[in-house]
Amino acid sequence: MTRLTRREFLRTSGRSAGLGLLAAAGVAGCAPALKGDFAPKTGRRVVVIGGGWGGATAAKYVRLGDPSIEVVLLEPNRRFVSCPFSNLVLSGVRSIDSLTFGYGGLRGHGVRILHASASAVEPDARRVRVGEGYLQYDRLIVSPGVEFQWEQVDGLAAARDRVLHAWKAGPQTVDLARQLEAMPDGGVFVLTVPPVAYRCPPGPYERACQVAFYLKTKKPRSKLLVLDANANVVSKAGLFRAAWKDYPNLEYRASNKVVKVDPSTREVTTELGDRVKYDVVNLIPPQRAGTIAVQADLVGADKRWCEVNHLTYESAKHANVHVVGDSTIGLPVPKSGNIANAMGKICAVAVVHLLNGKEPPPMAPGNTCYSWVNDREAIAVVNAYKVEGGKVVQIEQKLTPGQSAEWAQNAVGWATGIWQDILG
Amino acid sequence: MRTTIRLVAGSLSLMTGFAAGASAGPLDVPGATKALACSACHGPGGQSPSSTIPIIAGLAPWYFKKAVEDYATGRRPSPEMEPYAKYVREAGVDDVAAYFAAQSRQPTAVAVDAAAAARGRVASQQCVVCHGESGRGDPARSIPDLSGQAPGYLRNQMLLFKADRRSPGDQAVKTVKELMKSVPDDTIADLAAYYSSLR
Ligand SMILES: Cc1cc2nc3c(=O)[nH]c(=O)nc-3n(C[C@H](O)[C@H](O)[C@H](O)COP(=O)(O)OP(=O)(O)OC[C@H]3O[C@@H](n4cnc5c(N)ncnc54)[C@H](O)[C@@H]3O)c2cc1C
């Protein structure tokens, strides 16, 4: 996190109103100026933790739903980098720039953005800790995404700088693309898939397609080895397996959970005791809810994910705290950006109703996950849901009958639409 | 280890209308909350910013309801729309139709090749009898508005008509399908460019 320069600090501390300070701190980043109640609440306030797919959407839609509610969004990153489509950066089909957006649109909706991390939540006092200070809220929306369970893979914690996950789009995506590019022809690229539940069920298999496509066209003597902790391809299995017929360079091994990595010998070890050599490894670690959700005691007995009310996304554990996105569990939905966006909207509407003393209407999410199988074709899975007896239930799941350029074009349409829905 | 990520310099088509800050409108009418699931693809308020996903803001309710019914029953085959159409039926099609009908429709922000649009204008003479000079169609005869619609979507639909994949056996579209069979694919692309450029 950046420090306030002296000039910026003087400018921010010169403002009397807390919100002016907040706005300026947002420009300058997390700072020593954040002490005590650094932006006293004047009206009704919603604080949102995390400006990703769920949180940014929720922040925007609370403002759309009731502009008299103040919304403060906490997000350490200054730019939003889209995980969806980031597998295409590995094959060189897209640039990371084309997936990177600013938060200007949200500011246009009156969302106050503070580029800082929440360090703790105090549900009884209705406060979020930031730096050495805190922010008061009427309702809190938490969307911190996933955190990696580094300790589940022996040797991983110490090798985090070399053994990449690229499972949060950004610098690691670019670095993994570089490692792939630098790999000698004839090399072995090992991709490991964590056990469910993890972010984006089809994501690892889409990544396998993109890496295999790249190797097939650029390094024809190389091989991709997919070591999957699960007993079968977790999502769209038939469609992925059909797509892989074009990739004789791809070897898929189910029920091969990786439990150890050793960068000095360039080797991973599976639960079965098999040792596999790699030239480049992409180890996607097991996952749980974002750290703040764990610290704030929002996770359930599994210590991994957060249970929520299906209509309001209010935490099963703490009142006035809502959780959306990948951190949640218990709904029959995948951990996808599309679902995080849907939850963000529904939660926002519910929060607006609750803050206005009204009963929230029942609202169901929807999901579509497109996966690119090469540089021009995609497949998709679509889920429709309804609310029944206070719970979300699936109406139907539909797959594309095969892969085509048409669905790839619709994938572009989806991305364009949903990025606008989140940030525009 | 820090890699700098530059601010959006992405392809233009992906960024069209992004900064416009389109509003989803007030959220407390019944249709608005039921339509929340649609903006993921169709954009806020149904004003799709992309080329292949149609703008559904301002759709006439009669046409909207027909489309939903056709998707739900598979007469218009779409792996995306079939589940969502079933969702709309569950949620209440009248509310959702009313919500989108009430959204102001802006022409697509996707730019098209001017030469293609000019060629399309010439070819559109065969369409005028039904869709009218302005491309606005005629609700009385169940003919939809094509003006300002997303170009990729218009093109795809014409190709679906041509291949008899949209609403097979539907008498209402028999003539338009016969006509499409005589139109070369290149001309179909020109026609899509032309109608999408109408303001
Ligand atoms: C390679 C890949 C491909 C994918 N493809 C698709 C796809 O095609 N379609 C799809 O629908 N989904 C896809 N996904 C999944 C999608 O990216 C996630 O489901 C989505 O990002 C979840 O949203 P979220 O809000 O829960 O988390 P995120 O979007 O990760 O947002 C969490 C945010 O919270 C912030 N944060 C964390 N802790 C704090 C704190 N203490 N204080 C303040 N801020 C904090 C983080 O900085 C982050 O910005 C893909 C994922 C990957 C990795």
Side-chain angles (χ1 to χ4, degrees):
Chain A
M1 255 164 282
T2 44
R3 294 204 144 196
L4 276 184
T5 64
R6 195 180 128 75
R7 215 180 93 236
E8 282 162 342
F9 180 75
L10 287 175
R11 196 175 58 214
T12 53
S13 53
R15 304 217 181 167
S16 53
L19 292 176
L21 167 60
L22 183 59
V27 175
C30 168
L34 302 180
K35 279 198 174 123
D37 189 1
F38 59 85
K41 196 164 79 68
T42 48
R44 293 168 307 163
R45 176 191 282 169
V46 172
V47 173
V48 181
I49 299 181
W53 285 65
T57 305
K60 170 177 162 179
Y61 273 83
V62 170
R63 294 286 305 163
L64 287 178
D66 185 346
S68 75
I69 298 172
E70 185 201 0
V71 176
V72 182
L73 173 63
L74 295 167
E75 166 58 56
N77 297 315
R78 272 145 200 285
R79 303 263 178 271
F80 175 106
V81 188
S82 173
C83 282
F85 282 39
S86 69
N87 284 328
L88 297 176
V89 174
L90 301 179
S91 49
V93 171
R94 288 194 74 122
S95 69
I96 197 87
D97 289 358
S98 74
L99 310 177
T100 305
F101 308 103
Y103 284 105
L106 291 188
R107 288 199 184 87
H109 289 290
V111 175
R112 298 179 186 278
I113 304 175
L114 183 57
H115 288 296
S117 286
S119 55
V121 178
E122 296 166 9
D124 294 336
R126 294 199 198 175
R127 308 204 292 213
V128 175
R129 294 233 149 245
V130 188
E132 290 165 35
Y134 61 86
L135 278 170
Q136 211 112 39
Y137 63 78
D138 294 288
R139 294 228 166 223
L140 174 67
I141 301 175
V142 184
S143 189
V146 292
E147 187 47 85
F148 300 115
Q149 297 179 298
W150 307 101
E151 72 289 350
Q152 302 268 320
V153 180
D154 212 16
L156 182 57
R160 273 148 67 159
D161 55 334
R162 280 157 297 164
V163 176
L164 304 181
H165 55 76
W167 215 240
K168 293 182 181 181
Q172 284 225 351
T173 314
V174 175
D175 288 345
L176 185 62
R178 282 201 196 113
Q179 289 191 2
L180 176 60
E181 212 182 331
M183 187 175 88
D185 192 7
V188 176
F189 186 107
V190 170
L191 168 64
T192 80
V193 186
V196 290
Y198 61 82
R199 152 177 289 183
C200 194
Y205 312 105
E206 178 190 60
R207 178 166 291 179
C209 292
Q210 292 305 310
V211 172
F213 172 80
Y214 174 85
L215 294 178
K216 188 179 163 184
T217 45
K218 298 281 169 55
K219 299 185 199 291
R221 293 189 296 116
S222 303
K223 186 174 149 180
L224 166 64
L225 183 56
V226 180
L227 300 177
D228 194 336
N230 303 288
N232 191 9
V233 173
V234 171
S235 169
K236 296 180 265 197
L239 288 167
F240 276 117
R241 286 182 183 275
W244 291 348
K245 295 213 170 84
D246 284 342
Y247 302 122
N249 57 351
L250 186 163
E251 185 187 334
Y252 175 76
R253 294 188 196 158
S255 305
N256 266 255
K257 185 175 172 185
V258 167
V259 293
K260 186 177 169 191
V261 61
D262 185 349
S264 67
T265 56
R266 293 186 170 267
E267 222 173 49
V268 291
T269 309
T270 70
E271 206 171 27
L272 309 166
D274 288 346
R275 289 156 68 160
V276 179
K277 287 260 183 210
Y278 64 79
D279 292 279
V280 175
V281 68
N282 175 202
L283 199 155
I284 305 170
Q287 293 154 35
R288 60 162 169 78
T291 301
I292 187 78
V294 179
Q295 284 173 350
D297 182 37
L298 297 168
V299 292
D302 64 356
K303 297 266 181 274
R304 281 177 83 189
W305 309 109
C306 309
E307 265 179 63
V308 291
N309 177 299
H310 287 207
L311 298 182
T312 60
Y313 296 89
E314 188 158 325
S315 161
K317 300 194 75 177
H318 291 290
N320 304 311
V321 179
H322 302 248
V323 187
V324 295
D326 286 352
S327 284
T328 62
I329 198 154
L331 286 84
V333 299
K335 295 193 187 302
S336 76
N338 201 146
I339 284 293
N341 163 263
M343 287 177 170
K345 287 184 274 192
I346 296 169
C347 177
V349 171
V351 161
V352 166
H353 276 74
L354 291 167
L355 286 178
N356 285 299
K358 290 198 262 178
E359 194 187 331
M363 290 168 282
N367 181 61
T368 309
C369 282
Y370 293 96
S371 300
W372 292 73
V373 296
N374 54 41
D375 60 337
R376 45 173 289 274
E377 291 177 306
I379 57 181
V381 57
V382 187
N383 311 78
Y385 304 93
K386 62 179 172 184
V387 173
E388 214 171 63
K391 293 280 173 198
V392 170
V393 293
Q394 183 166 295
I395 300 172
E396 179 176 77
Q397 166 162 301
K398 186 123 187 123
L399 295 163
T400 53
Q403 62 193 55
S404 81
E406 188 185 330
W407 291 307
Q409 284 313 305
N410 286 354
V412 173
W414 169 83
T416 313
I418 202 162
W419 289 333
Q420 167 105 45
D421 198 27
I422 301 166
L423 298 166
Chain B
M1 183 199 64
R2 274 228 147 259
T3 312
T4 325
I5 297 167
R6 278 198 303 125
L7 176 60
V8 192
S11 80
L12 247 177
S13 69
L14 281 167
M15 289 305 300
T16 36
F18 207 87
S23 163
L27 297 174
D28 48 5
V29 296
T33 50
K34 294 175 183 175
L36 283 179
C38 317
S39 53
C41 288
H42 291 283
Q47 184 60 43
S48 166
S50 76
S51 179
T52 57
I53 310 234
I55 295 168
I56 57 174
L59 275 193
W62 69 267
Y63 180 76
F64 182 92
K65 290 190 210 173
K66 181 178 187 217
V68 166
E69 209 42 41
D70 285 355
Y71 285 126
T73 54
R75 282 196 293 271
R76 282 182 74 172
S78 163
E80 290 101 334
M81 277 311 298
E82 190 181 320
Y84 282 101
K86 288 179 180 161
Y87 158 82
V88 173
R89 274 173 156 186
E90 289 277 347
V93 65
D94 288 323
D95 283 348
V96 185
Y99 169 77
F100 284 111
Q103 301 302 304
S104 79
R105 184 188 183 96
Q106 274 120 47
T108 177
V110 178
V112 291
D113 179 42
R119 288 192 301 271
R121 184 191 177 85
V122 176
S124 72
Q125 286 317 311
Q126 41 191 338
C127 323
V128 169
V129 53
C130 290
H131 289 282
E133 286 289 350
S134 62
R136 298 258 149 101
D138 181 2
R141 289 193 291 150
S142 301
I143 297 164
D145 182 357
L146 306 178
S147 65
Q149 182 55 284
Y153 170 74
L154 289 177
R155 178 170 164 273
N156 286 345
Q157 295 304 308
M158 287 188 252
L159 292 173
L160 288 173
F161 280 140
K162 192 175 175 178
D164 199 14
R165 281 173 58 209
R166 173 168 164 175
S167 313
D170 184 342
Q171 288 304 313
V173 280
K174 212 168 145 229
T175 325
V176 60
K177 282 182 187 166
E178 286 308 319
L179 177 59
M180 287 305 168
K181 281 187 193 126
S182 70
V183 184
D185 287 3
D186 286 350
T187 307
I188 283 184
D190 293 343
L191 283 162
Y194 169 64
Y195 279 109
S196 78
S197 72
L198 289 181
R199 295 294 178 258

